[in-house]
Every structure is written in C-alpha cells, then in structure tokens.
Amino acid sequence: KNQVEQSPQSLIILEGKNCTLQCNYTVSPFSNLRWYKQDTGRGPVSLTIMTFSENTKSNGRYTATLDADTKQSSLHITASQLSDSASYICVVSVQGGSYIPTFGRGTSLIVHP
Amino acid sequence: DSGVTQTPKHLITATGQRVTLRCSPRSGDLSVYWYQQSLDQGLQFLIQYYNGEERAKGNILERFSAQQFPDLHSELNLSSLELGDSALYFCASSVRQGVGTGELFFGEGSRLTVL
C-alpha cells in the first residue's frame, strides 16, 4: 500500500532558527515528490518538486533533499520567519496510470518570535 | 492566487440538510480533485474527475456525490449532513492526469459547519 509518513507531527522553534522536516514513503513506482505549504485555513501551495534523479533543490530559504534509495526526503528551513508558521505536507506521485498522489498528514510548524 | 475558485467560502447549515460546493479549475486544467480536511487532520482524497469523467474515488461517503460539467467546473454535493461532515473542502486542479509533474493547484476551500 502506498504510504507517506511525516515527522515530527508538530514542531515549535524560535524565529531565526533552522529546522528540518522528514518524509518517508513507500510509494511505488516513484514519479516525483512535492512539498506543499499550507497556511492555516488556506489551500496548500507547492514549494518544491523532486524527481528521481534529483538530490537537492532549493527555493529561497527552503531546501528539499531526496534519497530515492532509502525513500526519504527532508525539507530544511533556514533562518525561520514568523510567516513560516504553517503545515508542511509531503506528497508523492506514482508513474503512469490514474494520477492520484499520496499525501502525508503534514508537519505543523510554529515559529515563535 | 492559484486560479482555482471555490464557492461558497463559508457555509453553515443544519444536520440532515444538503449543500452544493462549487469549483472552477484553472483555465486549461482538465482534472479536478476534491479533498476533505477535518480539524487538525490531513487532506483526505474524495474523488477525481478528468474532462467530465469520474476517474478515481477515495474515501467518499455514499451521501456525497460529485460531477464535472462540460465547461469543466465541478460540484460536490453533500446530503443528509451530519455533525462530522463539518470540515474544509478543497478543490484542486491539474493540467492532466498520468504523465507529467502533476502539480495540484488548490482553491481556498469551502468551510462547512453543520450544526
């Protein structure tokens, strides 16, 4: 069964600090992995996309990594800001067929001043 | 702005009632997805339509139904509402199904409160 597990479930950090969120998946055959950011009460927005051949991709202060061998991904946030407070959702897609991506439950990040 | 429009933004109704949520996908997107997000829960996939046809079903209750119209907008119908149906309902669209990077573009959601 295709599954996406995220950790930690929630995280509280101080403004300016760095943090790393984890995503483990069992989705197969792998096509791509996206990290979405969901502000409270808003729709998720894609931050990055990782394909099989990519190890690292950055989007401003967000850096995603992918280890396709161990089926793990991480999202590193540098110099956190109050606006980073949100839920971060890992979403993995399979190749071909009916395109229904598998969503993780998300990591809730709270950045305190 | 994702380009996906959902109406209404907020809806309060009573148990046993029926409501319809509407979604207009991004211009050119053929696939529409519906998700349910209960308080502090993850996004639960309900159903997908592609160019007017139902393509996949997730954890959608029999009391819920959806359709996609020729102009590609979609409606999610929720009937015999129960307290537990209170949630945020998101619509998302993508260009196509299957091959491709498949980014989902989400609307701002419809918040349903059942009293």
Side-chain angles (χ1 to χ4, degrees):
Chain A
K1 179 181 178 182
N2 291 334
Q3 287 188 316
V4 176
E5 300 289 338
Q6 292 188 243
S7 62
Q9 184 176 353
S10 61
L11 183 61
I12 300 174
I13 62 174
L14 292 176
E15 187 179 12
K17 298 297 185 182
N18 304 336
C19 67
T20 300
L21 314 179
Q22 301 290 343
C23 173
N24 296 336
Y25 62 92
T26 59
V27 174
S28 181
F30 176 84
S31 174
N32 62 73
L33 182 151
R34 288 184 183 274
W35 284 93
Y36 284 81
K37 178 186 180 188
Q38 184 181 20
D39 293 319
T40 301
R42 307 291 297 275
V45 176
S46 179
L47 290 174
T48 66
I49 176 174
M50 307 288 290
T51 57
F52 188 86
S53 59
E54 296 175 307
N55 299 118
T56 304
K57 184 171 285 187
S58 292
N59 178 3
R61 295 179 297 101
Y62 301 103
T63 299
T65 65
L66 176 66
D67 185 333
D69 292 330
T70 62
K71 298 186 177 182
Q72 295 179 326
S73 176
S74 66
L75 181 68
H76 185 75
I77 303 175
T78 304
S80 61
Q81 300 177 357
L82 298 179
S83 59
D84 292 331
S85 294
S87 179
Y88 292 84
I89 306 169
C90 177
V91 182
V92 185
S93 298
V94 298
Q95 296 180 15
S98 177
Y99 174 72
I100 304 298
T102 303
F103 279 67
R105 291 177 59 86
T107 292
S108 176
L109 174 66
I110 298 174
V111 180
H112 279 312
Chain B
D1 183 3
S2 66
V4 178
T5 303
Q6 288 188 248
T7 57
K9 289 190 180 347
H10 301 276
L11 191 56
I12 301 174
T13 188
T15 55
Q17 295 299 305
R18 172 190 171 93
V19 298
T20 297
L21 310 180
R22 180 188 169 100
C23 170
S24 294
R26 290 189 325 156
S27 177
D29 283 0
L30 300 178
S31 270
V32 170
Y33 307 75
W34 286 97
Y35 288 84
Q36 179 192 55
Q37 187 174 41
S38 301
L39 188 62
D40 294 332
Q41 298 295 312
L43 287 155
Q44 297 295 319
F45 169 68
L46 296 178
I47 197 164
Q48 179 213 5
Y49 281 83
Y50 177 78
N51 203 20
E53 294 185 6
E54 179 186 307
R55 285 304 175 93
K57 266 187 172 181
N59 301 320
I60 187 167
L61 300 172
E62 287 192 7
R63 299 183 285 109
F64 295 0
S65 65
Q67 55 184 329
Q68 185 179 29
F69 294 87
D71 67 352
L72 300 178
H73 91 272
S74 178
E75 293 181 355
L76 179 67
N77 301 297
L78 315 175
S79 61
S80 302
L81 286 168
E82 301 175 359
L83 295 178
D85 297 328
S86 296
L88 262 172
Y89 291 85
F90 286 103
C91 169
S93 72
S94 66
V95 173
R96 51 191 170 176
Q97 67 172 22
V99 177
T101 61
E103 179 176 356
L104 297 183
F105 294 87
F106 285 83
E108 290 301 299
S110 292
R111 181 175 294 281
L112 172 65
T113 302
V114 182
L115 301 177

